Amino acid sequence: MRQYLDLCQRIVDKGTWVENQRTGKRCLTVINADLTYDVASGEFPLITTRKSFWKAAIAELLGYLRGYDSAAQFRAIGCNTWNANANNNPAWLANPHRKGEDDMGRVYGVQGRCWQKPNGGTLDQLAKVVDNLSRGVDDRGEIVTFYNVGEFDLGCLRPCMHTHTFSLLGDQLYLTSYQRSCDVPLGLNFNQVQVYTLLALIAQITGNKPVKAFHKIINAHIYEDQLALMRDVQLKREPFPSPRLEINPDIKTLRDLETWVSLDDFKVEGYQCHEGIKYPFSV
């Protein structure tokens, strides 16, 4: 929690104004932020200085792990974050590759589960990593990346958090996640929840022990229409102690994650928070 607030204060105090062409807004921006989540100790990085919707973040992660390519699929499991990018993004609406309402194209989980090979076949990056880690293998390339430069025109949004690297030391599993761009007031807590939960889940289904997740952000920013709420409201609040995330121990395989797992299999204990803040969202 303190890491999050320190980053927000750093942006407010030391950020530089940058014009963003996609949204037509200015962003107060800093370059390079490193966050660490101690998954072994169970300190769930859920923001307490405002109400945070952790269920939607975990639902989105499940959709990525399943390779979803439609906002309707995400809505069905409790996540509405892709509705705007799939249906209200002018550039995507005009894209000839868009298949119709709710289509997201080849973004995020599609790349992670179905990377297209030059010979016409596909590669399931996630399945390879899970198989290796389950056998105690780390080839120093246990990587799942969504960043397929050659297919940017086939999706509604370039991935923000784009690459996850797993590292195994004996039975101790670590995760390093890379993010090129982060809307800190709105997106970061989603991302924090997902990085933490991804390590916890992959450790559980591969029979390893989660240790720490390292979250590297390149461009961290606050949009100009979010600044007053962050500076004058959220940063004035005192945080509560971190809650804990409980994951159903019956989740044992990647197949479980692909089929029957739902939000009912995740519970947060001891979550205290201040009232919500309605930050503007930029498509």
Side-chain angles (χ1 to χ4, degrees):
M1 182 66 231
R2 181 53 60 187
Q3 294 179 94
Y4 174 87
L5 295 176
D6 287 347
L7 174 57
C8 294
Q9 192 67 60
R10 177 186 160 202
I11 296 172
V12 170
D13 293 342
K14 299 180 179 180
T16 299
W17 285 109
V18 175
E19 297 285 344
N20 183 263
Q21 291 184 351
R22 180 176 64 86
T23 62
K25 300 179 184 179
R26 294 191 307 160
C27 302
L28 200 56
T29 305
V30 299
I31 300 301
N32 193 49
D34 291 287
L35 306 172
T36 301
Y37 315 127
D38 192 345
V39 183
S41 70
E43 294 182 2
F44 192 43
L46 192 59
I47 296 305
T48 62
T49 47
R50 66 169 174 84
K51 185 175 182 180
S52 182
F53 298 95
W54 62 270
K55 289 186 176 181
I58 291 180
E60 184 177 62
L61 175 62
L62 287 176
Y64 293 163
L65 297 178
R66 292 170 178 173
Y68 284 173
D69 65 358
S70 167
Q73 292 174 300
F74 281 93
R75 286 197 301 274
I77 59 172
C79 176
N80 290 303
T81 58
W82 282 95
N83 293 341
N85 281 312
N87 297 308
N88 298 329
N89 181 340
W92 180 237
L93 293 177
N95 190 310
H97 297 291
R98 185 174 183 264
K99 297 175 183 176
E101 185 176 1
D102 287 326
D103 179 45
M104 295 160 46
R106 292 188 54 78
V107 298
Y108 283 88
V110 177
Q111 300 292 350
R113 301 306 308 270
C114 191
W115 185 282
Q116 292 183 346
K117 298 165 68 175
N119 64 5
T122 60
L123 175 67
D124 189 333
Q125 300 180 69
L126 180 62
K128 175 264 184 185
V129 168
V130 168
D131 179 64
N132 276 4
L133 297 179
S134 298
R135 294 185 292 111
V137 173
D138 179 357
D139 66 5
R140 291 181 284 186
E142 304 304 341
I143 299 170
V144 177
T145 184
F146 307 140
Y147 209 74
N148 189 341
V149 179
E151 294 193 349
F152 281 168
D153 63 327
L154 302 183
C156 65
L157 183 70
R158 289 182 299 164
C160 294
M161 183 147 53
H162 57 81
T163 300
H164 302 281
T165 300
F166 293 91
S167 302
L168 192 61
L169 298 178
D171 64 351
Q172 310 285 301
L173 188 62
Y174 296 80
L175 171 64
T176 306
S177 296
Y178 303 88
Q179 186 165 357
R180 66 170 180 85
S181 173
C182 184
D183 176 338
V184 171
L186 276 178
L188 181 50
N189 197 216
F190 248 60
N191 304 135
Q192 291 179 291
V193 167
Q194 290 170 344
V195 171
Y196 180 104
T197 306
L198 179 59
L199 176 56
L201 277 175
I202 298 302
Q204 181 166 311
I205 68 172
T206 61
N208 292 294
K209 297 174 183 176
V211 186
K212 290 184 178 180
F214 305 104
H215 184 180
K216 176 173 266 312
I217 302 167
I218 305 304
N219 183 303
H221 51 266
I222 298 173
Y223 281 100
E224 57 187 329
D225 54 6
Q226 300 170 330
L227 180 59
L229 287 171
M230 174 59 73
R231 181 191 59 221
D232 302 331
V233 181
Q234 188 165 359
L235 282 172
K236 302 295 185 184
R237 297 173 174 178
E238 285 297 317
F240 293 103
S242 296
R244 299 182 69 85
L245 176 68
E246 302 293 336
I247 299 175
N248 184 348
D250 291 334
I251 302 173
K252 299 180 186 299
T253 66
L254 181 56
R255 183 64 177 163
D256 291 341
L257 291 175
E258 293 168 339
T259 54
W260 58 266
V261 173
S262 73
L263 290 180
D264 292 337
D265 296 295
F266 303 86
K267 299 188 185 308
V268 170
E269 302 291 342
Y271 183 42
Q272 296 175 275
C273 65
H274 292 267
E275 65 184 22
I277 299 174
K278 285 195 168 183
Y279 283 109
F281 174 68
S282 297
V283 177

